[in-house]
Amino acid sequence: MSMSMDAMDDGSLASEYGMEIMSGRTRNAIPYSAHTFRAGDHTFTVDSRYNFTRVVGSGAYGVVISAQDTHLNSRVAIKMVPKAFQDEIDAKRILREIKLLK
């Protein structure tokens, strides 16, 4: 999907990793940047604010890592599911998990 800057006249910016929305009140926010690293057999691309600590575990759906959020100075868990939407039933399970984590 391609979006011209004219279509984003509300001040939104698109990053190469996905859509990052910046409304008028967050224009002074730190721009989005990402970095990539290997964790086990997987390659993660995450926001630069997260520093990889260690692999927590892996299973049938993917791998979970521990990372340090440098903006909030707290530990977080990041789960990567490489083929999240290739199977409809698996996709529904993953979306249900995301809803539960909110």
Side-chain angles (χ1 to χ4, degrees):
M1 179 174 114
S2 176
M3 185 179 288
S4 71
M5 288 306 287
D6 295 336
M8 296 188 294
D9 59 358
D10 62 350
S12 299
L13 298 174
S15 76
E16 65 185 83
Y17 299 101
M19 292 300 294
E20 291 297 315
I21 305 301
M22 296 181 71
S23 66
R25 61 181 173 209
T26 60
R27 286 189 197 276
N28 294 330
I30 299 169
Y32 178 80
S33 65
H35 66 112
T36 301
F37 55 87
R38 299 275 305 160
D41 295 333
H42 300 278
T43 301
F44 281 74
T45 300
V46 298
D47 192 299
S48 295
R49 72 188 280 173
Y50 301 109
N51 291 330
F52 170 71
T53 306
R54 66 184 180 91
V55 174
V56 174
S58 61
Y61 289 115
V63 62
V64 177
I65 64 164
S66 176
Q68 183 72 25
D69 182 336
T70 59
H71 291 189
L72 299 176
N73 196 27
S74 63
R75 284 191 314 179
V76 297
I78 302 172
K79 183 175 190 175
M80 182 181 68
V81 182
K83 299 176 183 178
F85 300 105
Q86 289 188 350
D87 180 74
E88 183 178 351
I89 294 171
D90 287 344
K92 287 179 180 180
R93 287 179 183 147
I94 293 163
L95 289 173
R96 185 170 46 244
E97 180 179 341
I98 292 168
K99 288 179 184 178
L100 289 171
L101 292 173
K102 280 188 169 184

